[in-house]
Amino acid sequence: MTAQLNPRGDVAVLVPAAGAGVRLGPGRPKALRLLGGEPLLVHAVRRLAAAASVHTIVVAAPAADVDDVRELLAPVAPVTVVPGGAERQASVAAALAVVPPGPDIVLVHDAARALTPPGLVESVAGAVRAGHDAVIPVLPVVDTIKEVDAAERVLGTVDRCALRAVQTPQGFRRAVLAAAHAAAGDPLTDDAGLVEKQGVPVFCVPGSDHALKITRPFDLALAEHLLATGA
Ligand SMILES: Nc1ccn([C@@H]2O[C@H](COP(=O)(O)OP(=O)(O)OP(=O)(O)O)[C@@H](O)[C@H]2O)c(=O)n1
Ligand SMILES: C[C@](O)(CO)[C@H](O)COP(=O)(O)O
């Protein structure tokens, strides 16, 4: 059954899903690889569609797989699917370009963070609604962090109290994200980075262990365990 999105919602979610997944090893584009028998993208979109504020979801799919992705997601939720680009930033820009009039809040969410709970979507959107133009979910850094040189010699120990590991969804006032992408130069790895370059303050909210990015084979094994055990 297709989850209906909320026509009165104020949130559009862009889902960059066009990456190859090189770090995961050879195989299909990462968003189409299986977790518990279903593609990562299906897990991600199902959870986004379960967030009450979501009005629109736009997926940037691998260009060769756009038709397959439309078919795959049709039973999950009403989504718009566009071809992604060579860099994540281009995929996000392609999705942003087709957001319909209406939603004033835009979230950008990696398909690779397939188990992100709907509650995190709502907490990021809520912080934008409360007046923050740019919001990112973060976790504290749990390991000691060293700065090293090219020869792997330690230069020093970084004060991790001031560091955060950044997740998605990242949330923005729509006009702020549009202006940041319009002004974008060399690709950055996240959208908050583009907004920072515009001098816009970025606000942090607590992230979730379940929003882990499935990047390497160990992450996929961990996600399989989380899904299977409901942990
Ligand atoms: N050209 C790209 C590259 C990445 N992404 C998406 O951006 C998200 C975060 O990227 P990451 O997890 O680093 O994925 P990949 O780029 O696929 O990973 P790798 O660097 O291992 O190839 C993913 O959902 C990925 O599909 C995208 O839409 N378009
Ligand atoms: C946006 C992001 O998920 C924030 O952690 C991340 O930067 C994107 O992927 P990458 O692994 O940095 O390429």
Side-chain angles (χ1 to χ4, degrees):
M1 199 174 103
T2 305
Q4 292 304 308
L5 300 179
N6 179 4
R8 291 146 72 101
D10 58 355
V11 175
V13 190
L14 316 181
V15 186
V22 171
R23 290 169 286 179
L24 197 52
R28 296 206 71 192
K30 182 162 67 180
L32 301 177
R33 297 211 209 169
L34 301 184
L35 167 64
E38 294 185 301
L40 296 185
L41 182 58
V42 168
H43 289 282
V45 168
R46 186 182 290 131
R47 285 162 178 76
L48 292 170
S53 304
V54 173
H55 171 286
T56 296
I57 298 174
V58 183
V59 172
D65 298 299
V66 167
D67 290 340
D68 286 353
V69 167
R70 277 197 192 110
E71 208 170 304
L72 179 71
L73 294 177
V76 181
V79 300
T80 301
V81 183
V82 297
E87 304 280 352
R88 182 184 183 280
Q89 190 171 300
S91 296
V92 174
L96 181 59
V98 302
V99 175
D104 186 41
I105 297 172
V106 178
L107 269 49
V108 185
H109 182 52
D110 297 330
R113 298 184 187 272
L115 298 183
T116 300
L120 187 61
V121 175
E122 291 299 341
S123 77
V124 170
V128 179
R129 214 173 279 126
H132 298 287
D133 283 341
V135 176
I136 57 174
V138 301
L139 291 178
V141 172
V142 294
D143 294 310
T144 295
I145 303 289
K146 302 285 183 189
E147 187 183 1
V148 299
D149 66 13
E152 293 292 322
R153 278 185 303 246
V154 171
L155 298 175
T157 304
V158 179
D159 179 9
R160 66 181 155 175
C161 290
L163 299 181
R164 300 290 180 271
V166 177
Q167 302 181 319
T168 71
Q170 299 186 348
F172 306 93
R173 190 66 59 196
R174 181 174 181 165
V176 166
L177 184 65
H181 271 270
D186 289 342
L188 297 183
T189 55
D190 78 336
D191 298 277
L194 291 181
V195 165
E196 286 158 42
K197 282 175 79 173
Q198 298 304 299
V200 176
V202 178
F203 182 70
C204 297
V205 297
S208 163
D209 288 333
H210 290 83
L212 79 155
K213 184 152 74 67
I214 298 170
T215 304
R216 294 162 298 186
F218 180 82
D219 306 319
L220 187 57
L222 177 58
E224 290 280 6
H225 173 76
L226 293 172
L227 190 67
T229 60

